[in-house]
């Protein structure tokens, strides 16, 4: 994701709001489908409208989403959209305070668990998919690299740029079936 449209999270309130499973799901639905009402998000997530409305307010209070009044047909209808095309945060922004560092560590673990839940879900459900979606659409790759910190940052930029290029490309109107595909990458210092 280009840094121009990325919100850099620097406070634990936003980080906590971001890592709640339903709130993250609501943000994902808006990222895929654009602005939405609590009612539409309720249908998309299978949650009660009141519960969705509560979580939308938490996301708004954390400045992760905002109201879009120009889309409302009347005063009762409330539309919401993401504040930015993506969010990013680093542990170093939270290291100055042990409590904030603990929140950042917990958030990192929760987000990795979320990523792995998508992979586990695919592995569980793939046999029920159409053959075209079962054959070669999922990827798992790994490698060991020898990098300096600057090289690791460059790798991160290149991986992010690749995913951003695919995420921001115009979707062709060619009659082909396109489904949401979750793509993620992690590169971390480690020892075999």
């Amino acid at each position: 994701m280009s840094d121009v449209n990325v919100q850099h999270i620097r406070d634990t309130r936003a980080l906590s709001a971001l890592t709640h499973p339903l709130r993250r799901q609501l943000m994902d639905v808006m990222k895929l489908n654009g602005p939405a009402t609590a009612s539409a998000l309720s249908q998309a997530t299978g949650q009660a409208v009141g519960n969705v409305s509560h979580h939308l307010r938490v996301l708004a209070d954390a400045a992760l989403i905002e109201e879009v009044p120009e889309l409302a047909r009347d005063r009762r209808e409330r539309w919401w959209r993401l504040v930015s095309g993506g969010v990013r945060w680093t542990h170093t922004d939270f290291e100055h305070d042990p409590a904030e560092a603990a929140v950042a560590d917990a958030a990192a673990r929760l987000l990795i668990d979320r990523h792995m839940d998508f992979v586990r879900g695919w592995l569980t459900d793939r046999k029920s998919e159409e053959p075209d979606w079962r054959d070669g659409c999922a990827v798992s790759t790994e490698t060991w690299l020898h990098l300096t910190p600057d090289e690791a940052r460059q790798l991160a930029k290149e991986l992010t740029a690749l995913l951003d290029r695919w995420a921001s490309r115009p979707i062709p109107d060619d009659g082909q079936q396109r489904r949401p595909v979750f793509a993620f990458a992690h590169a971390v210092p480690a020892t075999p």
Side-chain angles (χ1 to χ4, degrees), residues 6-11 84 86-90 92-94:
V6 173
Q7 181 179 4
H8 195 108
I9 303 297
R10 291 186 170 92
D11 70 83
S84 64
V87 294
R88 192 170 288 140
W89 56 276
T90 64
T92 55
D93 290 332
F94 301 97

Side-chain angles (χ1 to χ4, degrees), residues 15-192:
L15 194 57
S16 295
L18 174 68
T19 57
H20 185 278
L22 177 57
R23 292 180 203 139
R24 191 57 192 245
Q25 185 181 15
L26 295 171
M27 291 177 69
D28 286 345
V29 171
M30 285 186 273
K31 183 165 185 117
L32 283 172
N33 302 329
T37 63
S39 178
L41 292 166
S42 170
Q43 288 179 325
T45 61
Q47 296 290 316
V49 174
N51 190 33
V52 168
S53 293
H54 164 74
H55 288 289
L56 289 171
R57 284 189 300 277
V58 172
L59 289 168
D61 288 345
L64 294 167
I65 66 169
E66 62 189 3
E67 203 167 343
V68 193
E70 61 270 19
L71 295 179
R73 291 176 291 202
D74 58 47
R75 289 182 182 210
R76 294 178 313 181
E77 188 176 65
R78 294 178 78 181
W79 283 79
W80 300 92
R81 70 174 165 216
L82 297 174
V83 168
S84 64
V87 294
R88 192 170 288 140
W89 56 276
T90 64
H91 281 85
T92 55
D93 290 332
F94 301 97
E95 290 176 345
H96 62 280
D97 178 286
E100 288 189 5
V103 171
D105 288 343
R109 286 185 196 87
L110 288 169
L111 290 175
I112 289 171
D113 288 345
R114 177 179 173 273
H115 295 169
M116 297 317 308
D117 285 345
F118 283 119
V119 174
R120 286 185 195 100
W122 165 257
L123 292 172
T124 300
D125 298 337
R126 73 183 182 276
K127 292 179 182 155
S128 64
E129 293 286 348
E130 299 170 24
D132 281 352
W133 283 102
R134 284 195 310 255
D135 188 25
C137 291
V139 64
S140 174
T141 184
E142 63 181 59
T143 191
W144 286 96
L145 307 169
H146 292 273
L147 304 174
T148 66
D150 286 340
E151 291 168 335
R153 282 188 278 279
Q154 183 61 35
L155 174 65
K157 280 184 172 182
E158 290 177 24
L159 288 171
T160 301
L162 174 66
L163 293 177
D164 185 43
R165 181 172 53 93
W166 276 93
S168 62
R169 81 190 197 293
I171 305 298
D173 186 13
D174 58 7
Q176 297 291 315
Q177 178 191 16
R178 286 180 175 79
R179 292 177 38 188
V181 172
F182 179 70
F184 69 101
H186 287 276
V188 296
T191 303

